[in-house]
């Protein structure tokens, strides 16, 4: 518990945390507003082929996550990589020699903060999208709350994934490149040829699995399986980070 308290204090004592939170809110507001404008305009233009019909606020919030998540990834990365850059990781490990305990404490704090941030971002996205959609929007209470909770869960897991990779790679830039490749570039490249076996491989990547979870898909696997796959990636990243911390000096 003392280790978690220490990590909590450190997280809120650095400016990068507050900048990441602000960036996330601004990105969500801007993206949700833009997507809502697109949906409303599609229904009122002269081309009936792109009519979106009634759009739920929750779907706009989910669509906004693709861009907004990078503020959360930055937060997850900086929780650990900023300590390597400043050298404060030495003090951290002197106070708590167990690498595993330190990383678990960071994961607990990162997961809690990014989940709460996800709730805030979901609420911001919904508040922005609803008036912009106007008569072309719907906001059923149960569905909207469920979508916001799903967004918060997704962001908490990708935040922990970023933390694990940051611990393993130590460099925020390198870890971010790996994250972008893992979440987007590699699965998109696999899906591009439209070959069944490559599509199935892409479906196992965290970004795609998280997308199926957020969308509530039933194929190629149910939404809970997408959540489990994403959680498995986050857990594997933590194990990789723990192994790297134990193998190398701070």
């Amino acid at each position: 518990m003392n280790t978690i308290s220490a990590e909590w204090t450190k997280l809120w004592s650095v400016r990068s945390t507050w900048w990441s939170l602000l960036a996330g809110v601004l990105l969500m507001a801007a993206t949700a507003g833009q997507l809502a404008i697109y949906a409303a305009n599609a229904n009122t233009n002269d081309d009936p082929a792109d009519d979106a019909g009634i759009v739920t606020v929750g779907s706009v919030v989910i669509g906004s996550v693709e861009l907004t998540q990078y503020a959360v990834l930055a937060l997850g990365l900086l929780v650990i990589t900023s300590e390597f850059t400043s050298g404060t990781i030495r003090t951290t490990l002197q106070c708590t020699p167990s690498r595993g305990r330190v990383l678990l404490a960071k994961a607990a704090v990162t997961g809690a903060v990014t989940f709460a941030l996800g709730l805030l971002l979901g609420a911001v996205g919904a508040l922005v999208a609803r008036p912009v959609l106007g008569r072309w929007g719907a906001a059923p209470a149960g569905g909207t709350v469920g979508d916001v909770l799903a967004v918060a869960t997704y962001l908490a897991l990708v935040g922990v994934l970023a933390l694990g990779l940051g611990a393993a790679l130590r460099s925020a830039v390198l870890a971010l490149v790996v994250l972008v490749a893992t979440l987007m570039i590699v699965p998109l490249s696999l899906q591009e040829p439209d070959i069944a076996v490559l599509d199935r491989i892409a479906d196992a990547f965290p970004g795609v699995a998280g997308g199926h979870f957020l969308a509530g898909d039933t194929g190629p696997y149910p939404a809970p399986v997408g959540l489990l796959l994403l959680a498995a990636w986050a857990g594997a990243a933590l194990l990789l980070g723990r192994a790297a911390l134990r193998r190398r000096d701070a």
Side-chain angles (χ1 to χ4, degrees):
M1 187 60 68
N2 289 337
T3 307
I4 291 177
S5 268
E7 293 301 330
W8 179 268
T9 301
K10 281 191 290 184
L11 178 68
W12 295 111
S13 65
V14 294
R15 284 179 294 179
S16 60
T17 298
W18 298 100
W19 283 116
S20 297
L21 297 178
L22 178 60
V25 171
L26 293 177
L27 280 171
M28 174 58 78
T31 308
Q34 185 177 43
L35 292 180
I37 290 172
Y38 288 162
N41 286 348
N43 287 310
T44 55
N45 62 21
D46 295 330
D47 183 6
D50 63 358
D51 286 359
I54 301 298
V55 175
T56 64
V57 167
S59 67
V60 173
V61 172
I62 288 173
S64 302
V65 169
E66 185 173 348
L67 179 60
T68 306
Q69 67 179 330
Y70 289 102
V72 178
L73 293 176
L75 177 60
L77 286 174
L78 291 172
V79 167
I80 183 73
T81 57
S82 62
E83 290 205 53
F84 285 118
T85 301
S86 64
T88 55
I89 189 67
R90 298 186 184 91
T91 303
T92 297
L93 295 178
Q94 285 173 353
C95 295
T96 309
S98 170
R99 268 65 168 168
R101 188 184 304 170
V102 167
L103 196 56
L104 283 176
K106 287 184 180 294
V109 170
T110 300
V113 170
T114 50
F115 182 83
L117 175 59
L119 295 177
L120 172 63
L121 295 179
V124 168
L127 288 173
V128 170
R130 186 64 189 93
V132 175
L133 286 170
R135 64 192 180 94
W136 301 109
T144 303
V145 170
D147 288 335
V148 170
L149 285 172
V151 164
T153 302
Y154 172 81
L155 291 177
L157 288 173
V158 296
V160 172
L161 172 64
L163 169 69
L165 285 178
L169 300 174
R170 300 193 174 199
S171 164
V173 174
L174 178 58
L176 183 59
V177 170
V178 173
L179 279 168
V180 171
T182 304
L183 290 170
M184 184 179 299
I185 296 174
V186 173
L188 284 176
S189 299
L190 290 171
Q191 291 170 336
E192 184 63 27
D194 197 21
I195 299 173
V197 64
L198 296 181
D199 288 342
R200 298 292 77 79
I201 294 172
D203 286 332
F205 274 72
V208 179
H212 289 313
F213 163 65
L214 289 173
D217 290 342
T218 56
Y221 44 68
V225 175
L227 176 61
L228 289 175
L229 282 171
L230 179 57
W233 276 89
L238 285 178
L239 290 175
L240 187 63
R242 180 176 179 270
L245 280 175
R246 293 184 65 181
R247 187 173 63 252
R248 297 180 298 191
D249 290 335

